[in-house]
Every structure is written in C-alpha cells, then in structure tokens.
Amino acid sequence: MTIRCGTICVSASGLAAGVIFGITGSAMAGPVTFVEQTGAVGLTHSHMTVGAGPDMEFMTTGGAVGDFDRDGDQDLFVIGGSAGVDLLYWNDGNGNFSEGGAAAGIARAHRGSGAAVGDYDNDGDLDIFVTSTGSVAGNMEPGQNVFYRNNGNGTFTDVTAVAGVSTNNPAAGDAFSAAFGDYDLDGDLDMAVAGWLGGNKLYRNNGDGTFTDVTIAAIDTDMTLVRGFVPKFVDMDGDRYPEILWVADFFTSRYLVNNGDGTFTNQTVSSGTGLDSNGMGNTFGDLNNDGRLDWYATSRINGDGSSGSGNMFYRATAVDHVYEEVSVATGCNEGYWGWGATAMDFDQDGWLDVIATNGFTGSFEMDPTVFFANDGTGNFVESAVASGITDVGQGRGLLNVDLENDGDQDVLIFNNRQPMVCLRNDSAGGSAITLAFNTNGVPGLAPDGIGTRVELTAGGMTQVRYLSAGSNFLAQSELSVHFGIGNETAADLVIYYADGSVESLAAVSPGRYTITAKVCIADFSPSGDLDFFDIATFLGQFTAQHPQADLTGDGSFDFFDISSFLTAFSGGCN
C-alpha cells in the first residue's frame, strides 16, 4: 500500500480505527433559506414532449452538472424531451448561464431520460452518457442511449457505437439512470445503467474507449427481474471496493456487495434493505454522523397512508452490510410520490439534510418538493415551506450544485413537461469546506477522485463523505465532497484514496479546494516528474494558502513549508 501525503501520514485499513464520531450536537448554523432564481440566471428550459399521456416519457427528465470546460465552475447538461432538444448551459463563473448545446454538438431530439458524467477515457475532460427511452418517432425504441466524448474545446463527439453502450435492453427503450464508478479499482470508470423493464446492465471499462457487458458474469442475481430506476456505486464497508445500490420499482431494489474479485453478491435480504415498495430516487450519506454510510431511497406513499412504503432510510448498524429501516422513527418517510433526492448539508451545521422532489399525474397527484432538515441528532423535520421551497411541479430529477462558487450548495429540480427550477441557497451562517479532486497522472486512481473517502474533524465532531458519480434519479450532482463546519474556523481532514493511499491536511480554512493526488510530496503538477511546473504550482498554492502547500502540517504557511518543498524537490520522486 502506498502512503502518499502532503503533511502527516496515517495508515489506511478500511474504516479508520481510533476515530471518535460525534452523534449528537450541532455546529450552530442558521436556518436554511432557498430563493427561486431560475429565469434570473438564464435557465429558460422547459421539458417538452410530443405526447401528453402516461407513456414512458412521463417518468423522465433530468440532467447533470460538471465543469465541462475545466474553468472552475459548474456547467449544466439538460434533457430537452421529444418535442425539444438536449441543452448545454455554460456557467459564466458567477452562476449565470448561456445555452450552447447546438454549437457543442449535443442538441439531440429524442425521448431522453437522464444523464451521468465522468471522464471515461482518462483524458482529463468530463464526458456525458445520456439515457433514452426512444427516438422522437419511436416510443420505447431500443438503442437510443448516447455517449458523448468531450473534445476539450467546448464540443463533444458521439462515440456510442465505438463504446458499445447504445442498447441496454434489446427489446425496448427502458433506460433511466446511469452511474459511473471504478468497481474493480483499475483506475478507469465502469458504468451501470438501470432499465425499468429489466434492461439493467453493468459495463466494465476496457481502458481503450470500449465497454464490455459483464452483468451476468459479475452479478449473482437475475437483473432482468429488477425494475431498475437508479444504480449508484458506493463503498459501504470501507474496503475501497464499491457496492452497487440499485434502486428499483415494485420491491425489486437490490443491495449488491462487491466481493473484490470483479463480482457482486446480492445481499438485499440479509442487509435488511429492499423494503421500498416503489424505489425511485437514490442517495446516501452518514445521516446520523456515526461514521458509517447510510442509504436513502425515495418511494411512493398514498396521501392517506393507505398504500406504498414511503421513502426508506436504511441506517447502518455496527455490522457491515446490515441496516435498520428507520424512516418513520426519524421523520423522513412521508414524501408523497418520490423521485429524485439528494443528501447534503444545506445549512452547513455538520449534519446531512435530505431534499426530495415529487409528482405524479393521476389520482395520487401530490407534488410538493419536501425538505427533511436534520435536527442535529439524525432525526428530521419537514421544512420545505419554511425554507422557501414552494415547488409543486411534476418533479423528476434533482441535484445539488454550488452554482456561483460561494461555498454553499444550491438545488436544481427538473420537472416533467414543465419548466425546471433553480433554488439558490441563501442560508445565513455556517461555513463549509468543499473538495474536488485532480487524480490525473496517478496510476490506479479513477478520474476526479471518484471513490475517495474523506473524514473531517472540527469542533469535536467527525464527519464522513464519499465521492460517487451517478444519478440521484436521472440527474447527477457536482463531483465534490462538501462539509458544513458551522462556526468553526478550521478543520482537520484525512483523505482515503481508492488505491489505499492516505493524505492528511491540518487546520484547513473554509473554502473550496481542488486536491491534487501526488505521486510524491513535491509533485504538484502532477506528472510523476519534477520540473519548473511543480515549483510554479507550489508557489501559487503557497501564496493562496491552499492546504496542500502546508507541507509541515501545522496550519501555518511559512519558511518551513518552503524548506520542506525544496528538500523534497531536490530528492526527486523515488
């Protein structure tokens, strides 16, 4: 195991031993406040379809955020619908958008479902996989998924045929959400695609721009029986190999444990999961700050509570891969007809909240987005209206993103056959630390740090985050980990990379940072070689007080850090 560190090293062995996790208390942030800003920031999109009935397209619409031009802010890909075209909104750096899908080469008309973002070819640019339920003329026509390779110049190329991922179900267009993840830890991104009529696929990345369907060989259960909506790669036991949390309709959700040899075992029953009657949305996180990741799946519940499970909160126990379902007891069960959801610390008090969007055109039409605010004990209070969330549209996809790089997380909701909604987070109080990752040039690490686990300690409380890439339901959030630290002025971080290496950062101030995984301590570019670019990058980060330039790990930026860099640079990378 490689120990790669910029400051103080610690050993890695799955879940960190000796860490005491806080399970009560609060970091004292203010109340959550959202302000609707959709038109004001230039997001003029409205999802449009050629039909108005309950076809496959009535369950769709989403999008994905990503820094597609690598200029430091989050851009937005949006599903347009069969009566429109897919869109690409470029962020001007201040959270304002201009649409340029046609010029980028992605303005396609089809019965689009959702999108997932990841650098599948390890070239440094984020690519886009788009799921579809058919062409404009062909409802449920198979073979309509599309893979866009980012050319690095503001344009994309359709590489679907070469990649071999156009068809997840040969009988029908049933693709909904997709997810990227490095399940075999070989350093490139594999992909899972969910199909509502059984077209569930696990694709292994071959490292040459192509994928191999390994569903039958890798998974010990018949995935054609799964009415799939959302897969997600998450390391739930701390062994670095991600499980697949596969949310699905009609009690067919699956909890698939990664065996570390390229295969998965279905442990749904023994894990105590799969209880969601109509699983649709998929999110996760340490919702009670006990150091273990929990799983949250949205579902359906009748307005009078007479049918449907409601949303399910699978809270981790002290035994790996065993959960207790506690949604009713903790106050986060009743979410109407649930679709997309995300767990995020929106008030930056150190505790994850949950927001979930809803909607159904029929007798169960109860459509308000719900916001379950964490009360600081792992219990929740529904606070949508109190937080300024008044959306009652036909919500489907939902994601979190820092649109204007101001440190807090905003929300985008994608409404079926209606305009999308942008909710800017204007919450008062509470600081945060957000980490994005640059893992280019480090063999064995997936791009953008996907699969990285981070532990943050501040104010006597430790929080855990895990970087996963994939849809919550048809919509993918930004590729970062975000920690609220309330009124604390600094925090200590331990980063557990997916290759087993560890980096510790001391006394990190609130802010947004890109953490570069280094082959050695002085390799700041990174490239594996030491040259002028490493010196220039170090000096720039030292001046900006970037936490990785604190080479002595004392929270100060001084002569001793410069001396440490010069010593390491002179010694070379061994």
Side-chain angles (χ1 to χ4, degrees):
M1 176 182 64
T2 301
I3 301 296
R4 181 175 55 243
C5 56
T7 53
I8 303 169
C9 293
V10 299
S11 62
S13 57
L15 292 174
V19 177
I20 300 175
F21 293 89
I23 58 173
T24 60
S26 171
M28 297 178 62
V32 180
T33 302
F34 290 101
V35 178
E36 194 275 319
Q37 290 285 292
T38 317
V41 299
L43 296 175
T44 58
H45 162 70
S46 183
H47 182 250
M48 299 179 292
T49 66
V50 295
D55 55 11
M56 288 285 278
E57 219 175 350
F58 101 95
M59 296 192 288
T60 68
T61 193
V65 290
D67 187 359
F68 298 120
D69 52 5
R70 296 297 194 190
D71 65 349
D73 53 47
Q74 298 294 309
D75 309 303
L76 173 64
F77 173 88
V78 181
I79 295 294
S82 58
V85 295
D86 295 341
L87 308 170
L88 186 61
Y89 287 98
W90 297 107
N91 193 328
D92 69 354
N94 297 309
N96 299 303
F97 293 88
S98 58
E99 204 285 313
I106 59 87
R108 176 184 181 225
H110 65 123
R111 297 174 186 261
S113 303
V117 169
D119 181 7
Y120 86 104
D121 55 358
N122 282 326
D123 68 349
D125 300 309
L126 289 174
D127 311 299
I128 307 172
F129 181 72
V130 184
T131 53
S132 181
T133 63
S135 65
V136 172
N139 182 36
M140 298 174 62
E141 178 185 353
Q144 299 301 308
N145 302 330
V146 62
F147 212 138
Y148 292 115
R149 184 186 66 213
N150 191 329
N151 299 320
N153 60 1
T155 69
F156 293 79
T157 298
D158 182 347
V159 295
T160 317
V162 173
V165 291
S166 66
T167 307
N168 61 293
N169 187 340
D174 73 343
F176 277 79
S177 304
F180 288 105
D182 185 8
Y183 78 84
D184 50 6
L185 301 188
D186 64 352
D188 54 34
L189 292 177
D190 311 299
M191 185 169 65
V193 181
W196 189 60
L197 297 175
N200 300 287
K201 294 294 183 182
L202 176 62
Y203 294 104
R204 185 186 66 229
N205 192 326
N206 299 319
D208 59 1
T210 68
F211 291 82
T212 297
D213 177 2
V214 296
T215 313
I216 295 176
I219 302 175
D220 73 340
T221 189
D222 187 354
M223 294 300 291
T224 66
L225 303 178
V226 172
R227 300 295 291 268
F229 273 132
V230 194
K232 193 177 285 288
F233 293 94
V234 185
D235 176 16
M236 299 298 285
D237 60 0
D239 69 350
R240 299 184 289 115
Y241 287 89
E243 278 62 56
I244 308 180
L245 311 179
W246 212 297
V247 167
D249 212 347
F250 305 123
F251 291 105
T252 63
S253 291
R254 296 288 185 265
Y255 182 85
L256 305 175
V257 174
N258 194 325
N259 299 317
D261 60 1
T263 68
F264 294 83
T265 298
N266 176 17
Q267 293 189 18
T268 309
V269 174
S270 64
S271 68
T273 63
L275 304 178
D276 34 290
S277 62
N278 305 93
M280 289 175 277
N282 191 350
T283 191
F284 72 96
D286 183 6
L287 297 178
N288 62 339
N289 276 354
D290 67 348
R292 294 179 176 270
L293 297 178
D294 311 303
W295 183 17
Y296 188 87
T298 64
S299 187
R300 175 187 66 83
I301 189 168
N302 197 349
D304 61 7
S306 61
S307 65
S309 67
N311 301 341
M312 297 282 96
F313 173 12
Y314 302 114
R315 189 171 63 192
T317 70
V319 179
D320 286 345
H321 308 305
V322 177
Y323 301 82
E324 51 183 355
E325 202 291 302
V326 294
S327 60
V328 173
T330 58
C332 57
N333 172 258
E334 295 189 25
Y336 306 109
W337 196 290
W339 297 100
T342 188
M344 179 56 54
D345 185 1
F346 290 106
D347 57 359
Q348 303 187 154
D349 66 347
W351 295 82
L352 291 175
D353 312 299
V354 175
I355 185 170
T357 192
N358 302 278
F360 187 78
T361 52
S363 59
F364 298 99
E365 189 167 359
M366 297 174 125
D367 306 328
T369 293
V370 294
F371 178 67
F372 296 112
N374 198 317
D375 69 358
T377 68
N379 296 301
F380 298 87
V381 178
E382 206 291 302
S383 307
V385 174
S387 300
I389 303 172
T390 59
D391 175 60
V392 293
Q394 289 293 316
R396 298 300 186 265
L398 177 148
L399 58 82
N400 61 269
V401 55
D402 184 356
L403 291 173
E404 62 274 72
N405 280 346
D406 65 349
D408 54 26
Q409 290 287 310
D410 312 299
V411 173
L412 298 179
I413 301 172
F414 302 91
N415 287 320
N416 180 263
R417 296 167 177 159
Q418 295 172 343
M420 66 178 293
V421 174
C422 173
L423 299 174
R424 187 182 67 202
N425 190 339
D426 282 353
S427 303
S431 298
I433 294 173
T434 304
L435 305 181
F437 291 89
N438 175 9
T439 49
N440 293 341
V442 181
L445 288 183
D448 295 283
I450 293 169
T452 301
R453 174 188 173 94
V454 184
E455 294 172 359
L456 174 148
T457 301
M461 183 170 70
T462 297
Q463 305 173 51
V464 174
R465 300 289 186 268
Y466 179 85
L467 184 54
S468 177
S471 295
N472 308 310
F473 174 80
L474 306 180
Q476 178 172 315
S477 301
E478 71 170 55
L479 290 172
S480 68
V481 294
H482 176 84
F483 297 89
I485 60 172
N487 297 327
E488 301 298 326
T489 59
D492 296 328
L493 299 169
V494 182
I495 301 169
Y496 298 88
Y497 292 100
D499 65 354
S501 56
V502 178
E503 182 172 7
S504 293
L505 302 174
V508 178
S509 299
R512 186 181 182 100
Y513 304 97
T514 296
I515 302 300
T516 299
K518 302 179 179 67
V519 175
C520 69
I521 191 173
D523 186 21
F524 272 75
S525 19
S527 63
D529 297 318
L530 299 183
D531 50 29
F532 166 79
F533 297 104
D534 298 295
I535 298 173
T537 303
F538 168 74
L539 291 176
Q541 291 193 359
F542 179 85
T543 301
Q545 297 194 353
H546 188 286
Q548 286 189 294
D550 177 20
L551 296 185
T552 59
D554 60 1
S556 300
F557 296 85
D558 50 29
F559 164 79
F560 298 104
D561 299 300
I562 297 174
S563 177
S564 295
F565 173 78
L566 293 176
T567 299
F569 185 87
S570 300
C573 286
N574 299 315

